[in-house]
Amino acid sequence: MEKNNVLMMVWKSFTILCTLSTVTCASYQIGAPNNTDIEFVLINDNNPCHRTCVKGSEPMRCHYTFSVEWYRTMSKACYLCPFSPEDCDLPHCIPGEGSKRTIAVVNRQMPGPSIEVCLGDEVIVDVTNKLLSDSTSMHWHGFHQTGTPYMDGVPYVTQCPIQPGATFRYHFKAENYGTHFWHSHSGFQRADGVFGPFIVRVPDEFNPHISLYDYDLSEHIVMIMDWGTELGIDKYAAHHHSDGDNKPRSILVNGRGMSKGFLIDTNTTTYIPPARFVVEKNYRYRFRVTNSGFLNCPIEMSIDNHTLTVISSDGKDIEPVEVDSLVLYAGERFDFVLNANQEIDLYWMRFSGLMDCDARFTSVFQGAVLQYKNASETGNPSSLLDYASSHRQGLQLNPLNKGTEDNETITMPKLVSLDGWDDTLKEKPDYQFHLAYDFYKINNPHFHQGDLYGFFNVSNPKQRLLTPQLNRISMTYQDVPILQGRDTIDDKNFCNSSTIEAQDCADDYCECTHVLQVALNSVVELVMIDEGFAYDANHPFHLHGNYFRVVAMKRLGSNTTLEEVKRLDAEGKIKRNLMDAVVKDTVTVPDGGYTILRFKADNPGYWMMHCHIDFHVEIGMAVIFKVGENHEMPPVPKDFPTCGNYLPEISKLPTINPCIKKESIYSLKYWFPTFFDDSCNSSSGSSSIDSNRISVIVLVLIFTKFFC
Ligand SMILES: *[C@@H]1O[C@H](CO)[C@@H](O)[C@H](O)[C@H]1NC(C)=O
Ligand SMILES: *[C@@H]1O[C@H](CO)[C@@H](O)[C@H](O)[C@H]1NC(C)=O
Ligand SMILES: *[C@@H]1O[C@H](CO)[C@@H](O)[C@H](O)[C@H]1NC(C)=O
Ligand SMILES: *[C@@H]1O[C@H](CO)[C@@H](O)[C@H](O)[C@H]1NC(C)=O
Ligand SMILES: *[C@@H]1O[C@H](CO)[C@@H](O)[C@H](O)[C@H]1NC(C)=O
Ligand SMILES: *[C@@H]1O[C@H](CO)[C@@H](O)[C@H](O)[C@H]1NC(C)=O
Ligand SMILES: *[C@@H]1O[C@H](CO)[C@@H](O)[C@H](O)[C@H]1NC(C)=O
Ligand SMILES: *[C@@H]1O[C@H](CO)[C@@H](O)[C@H](O)[C@H]1NC(C)=O
Ligand SMILES: *[C@@H]1O[C@H](CO)[C@@H](O)[C@H](O)[C@H]1NC(C)=O
Ligand SMILES: [Cu+2]
């Protein structure tokens, strides 16, 4: 009886303590919004900021909530998809190409929620990391973050990674109009599904192409990407540490695709219903296309019986060009006008994978349906759809590994910007940098450890992995974000090609924090050179924080060198478009050739420039531009989260004394430990016992002095 009472009391005090501690824990989640799923659907889907942009109206504050979590294609939300095709459109159903695989997504959508605002709006996005054990970050691809460099979303450059359970509130101005997108900048999360559209519109009065189309609809946003059956990290580990390949298996259009390898029912050829884009005859539509791909899979796009009138790239307007097909590299965006002037019917929109997706490897292609109103709402076009037929003859924009030497295609320097001349195009830039690269046969210790399994030790060619580097340097980061920690980071921690000159980076692997420093408001010229000795490769480069002009692009042959390009330039054999060169933020470089970019470094901060192929940026194919002096950059926002190492000096580490017990100063045990001590060895605890006794004696002496 008595024993039960004691147990009861112990239990009760236990529950009270538990409740108390839960309350304490919960109050630690400072800043974490307690939105339910329903709430964020409301905020995102009926967001009042998605409106017609009107000249002279007040900008709005636009609030979104993103919940990043692990999820699954063909989840239970898909019910009978694809046998009951409308089930594939149910909320939270992400069909992919029909296979079941783990994905990472925002708000159980892929592509994630579309942010559509007007130029000048203020954007607030609360990103909550529910990934259990991975950190995350969000980059607003196409936004320059002028004055808000801390919102660029690059881990260890502009912010600490967002820890699991934490929420980071991004807050910036939508200062760049056009077709952009957002995506995680952490690991392979973009590849696994953490991406979505970000469209900034302008009032008709400021839209030079307004007369070219009748509709600019959210339904005509097209997000394309390469896709596979496994998580990005699985593919990465298999490719870098074993004999796994780096080839995509399919292409998705707005998160879905039909794929031969993933026929749900081989007898009836039931596929996932392809993406559909509905138009009405005799109207013209603005399509906004983004390639958010992650491997080396440029995608050629065309629409049967229609041409594409391309009016903008990476958000910036160009003089329209009418083409039959268009190639998009990872990170690029193009807007085109589709004139629905053909017979009422269904037409294939064809997507054909190049490079690692081409006929030498996986022959990856995809179709989506262009459906005229009054044509079948469920059927597919009758014409054949396969890899061979997905290549369209005729005029192509942005072809693979070609430059202005090719007179049968339109390469980027031939596009005409509507921006007019500015001093980025002045004759002599203030800085000129050459960034030369290739894949190198070196012992990169991240996957070829010298004596153990060095590059030349392993004989299986599938296990020999070459390292892509910029100027023979692989990028590494500091232990704190460079922008945030700039005042504590010595510039000596940074490197560039002149600081590593003494090292033999051609034979030995070199890695460091590759930073190129330029003065504020200077004009920078970047000569990107793809040496092209290893394979016939291709890399798309993306610059954060700035637009650039593409002033030249040329393929010289199957290979070239930095010296050859410099020599040609010195001999005046490189022609630059310094009149009206196109303005972009992502561009390709022909293999065995060069692309020359110009930008005005007027946005103080640390800005990444990197290959947009995830496998390459994750092993260091990146460089950082330090624009302006540290003091010219905006101050660190109040309460900005911190991170970093905990590495106290070993010699200064205190001796660990497990006998130290915190006793209340009012307890007897505090004053007379020896009498109460039960676990500690007398030897280890003796010194503290002595000092206790001394204090007691001193106190007793003081007492006696006062009262006697
Ligand atoms: C969380 O939700 C509760 C109840 O819905 C509400 O009272 C509270 O204000 C919310 N807290 C925050 C930080 O939004
Ligand atoms: C497809 O047809 C074959 C042969 O007729 C049959 O054995 C198989 O079960 C069918 N598969 C499905 C999924 O119905
Ligand atoms: C589309 O073009 C093809 C080839 O030019 C032609 O055979 C076909 O009839 C056209 N389809 C329609 C619906 O106009
Ligand atoms: C579509 O069909 C409806 C009803 O059959 C007809 O009234 C309409 O004119 C058609 N539209 C076009 C563009 O042909
Ligand atoms: C392209 O250039 C080649 C050789 O310089 C020339 O023979 C050909 O006619 C040109 N084609 C066009 C379309 O200008
Ligand atoms: C790998 O190659 C290096 C250099 O050729 C050699 O010294 C080393 O013994 C080799 N290791 C193995 C495990 O074969
Ligand atoms: C390269 O590094 C050196 C040494 O830190 C520095 O003086 C120089 O300014 C750097 N060059 C560039 C372009 O950043
Ligand atoms: C480099 O290009 C030249 C001319 O195009 C070719 O003859 C040579 O074989 C190439 N070298 C390599 C290593 O690919
Ligand atoms: C107590 O002393 C024994 C023997 O000297 C030792 O093995 C043990 O680790 C000591 N325990 C503590 C708590 O210091
Ligand atoms: Cu690359």
Side-chain angles (χ1 to χ4, degrees), residues 309-612:
T309 302
V310 180
I311 54 172
S312 155
S313 179
D314 299 351
K316 294 298 273 179
D317 294 316
I318 54 169
E319 261 181 24
V321 287
E322 191 183 342
V323 295
D324 293 285
S325 66
L326 154 72
V327 178
L328 293 101
Y329 303 84
E332 277 189 307
R333 290 90 68 209
F334 283 95
D335 294 20
F336 64 82
V337 172
L338 175 116
N339 191 348
N341 57 3
Q342 298 295 301
E343 279 171 43
I344 292 179
D345 207 338
L346 304 174
Y347 299 89
W348 281 123
M349 296 170 72
R350 297 176 190 266
F351 302 89
S352 164
L354 309 177
M355 230 48 260
D356 286 358
C357 281
D358 73 14
R360 294 170 301 166
F361 305 109
T362 46
S363 298
V364 167
F365 65 95
Q366 194 50 267
V369 179
L370 180 73
Q371 178 201 317
Y372 276 55
K373 272 184 192 161
N374 278 17
S376 161
E377 283 174 20
T378 50
N380 285 348
S382 52
S383 52
L384 179 72
L385 181 76
D386 61 10
Y387 187 73
S389 66
S390 62
H391 172 66
R392 166 88 163 253
Q393 298 296 320
L395 186 59
Q396 186 169 81
L397 177 65
N398 207 17
L400 175 67
N401 286 342
K402 287 179 178 165
T404 46
E405 78 288 349
D406 186 78
N407 58 5
E408 283 163 8
T409 56
I410 304 178
T411 49
M412 288 301 104
K414 290 186 186 163
L415 292 180
V416 173
S417 168
L418 292 189
D419 273 19
W421 192 91
D422 60 42
D423 71 345
T424 24
L425 297 174
K426 65 185 184 184
E427 201 57 42
K428 252 190 93 59
D430 303 312
Y431 295 87
Q432 186 190 44
F433 297 112
H434 291 84
L435 285 173
Y437 60 86
D438 206 344
F439 291 95
Y440 301 110
K441 295 175 180 170
I442 46 174
N443 281 327
N444 182 329
H446 296 287
F447 41 81
H448 275 298
Q449 295 234 333
D451 294 347
L452 300 174
Y453 39 89
F455 185 88
F456 294 102
N457 290 110
V458 297
S459 51
N460 178 353
K462 285 184 175 172
Q463 297 183 339
R464 284 186 160 190
L465 210 61
L466 289 79
T467 299
Q469 290 182 308
L470 299 179
N471 289 349
R472 298 273 183 177
I473 300 172
S474 293
M475 180 73 153
T476 54
Y477 302 90
Q478 300 290 310
D479 59 314
V480 296
I482 298 174
L483 178 65
Q484 180 181 8
R486 62 187 183 272
D487 291 330
T488 58
I489 299 171
D490 193 330
D491 273 7
K492 288 197 184 75
N493 289 353
F494 300 152
C495 70
N496 57 51
S497 35
S498 60
T499 61
I500 58 150
E501 240 163 31
Q503 296 172 50
D504 183 9
C505 297
D507 291 318
D508 291 330
Y509 172 77
C510 290
E511 66 173 26
C512 49
T513 306
H514 195 174
V515 176
L516 298 174
Q517 181 167 358
V518 296
L520 195 57
N521 294 322
S522 55
V523 171
V524 181
E525 178 169 283
L526 259 177
V527 184
M528 311 292 301
I529 300 156
D530 186 334
E531 296 162 358
F533 289 94
Y535 330 118
D536 202 10
N538 186 275
H539 306 262
F541 281 89
H542 172 52
L543 175 66
H544 290 221
N546 299 271
Y547 289 122
F548 50 64
R549 301 253 191 181
V550 185
V551 299
M553 179 187 288
K554 195 167 183 184
R555 180 176 167 95
L556 296 168
S558 80
N559 55 66
T560 187
T561 57
L562 172 63
E563 290 67 36
E564 186 185 8
V565 173
K566 282 186 169 171
R567 181 178 54 77
L568 290 172
D569 209 3
E571 291 169 359
K573 288 184 177 153
I574 293 183
K575 294 272 172 292
R576 291 168 172 77
N577 175 356
L578 298 180
M579 298 272 296
D580 47 23
V582 65
V583 181
K584 279 172 71 65
D585 60 39
T586 312
V587 75
T588 185
V589 182
D591 181 274
Y594 58 78
T595 292
I596 303 180
L597 313 174
R598 287 283 187 93
F599 71 94
K600 179 88 180 274
D602 55 3
N603 187 7
Y606 287 84
W607 303 109
M608 278 274 271
M609 160 113 183
H610 62 95
C611 173
H612 219 267

Side-chain angles (χ1 to χ4, degrees), residues 232-249:
I233 189 65
D234 282 347
K235 203 167 181 74
Y236 176 86
H239 184 58
H240 287 78
H241 299 298
S242 183
D243 56 1
D245 68 44
N246 55 355
K247 312 296 181 237
R249 292 296 185 272

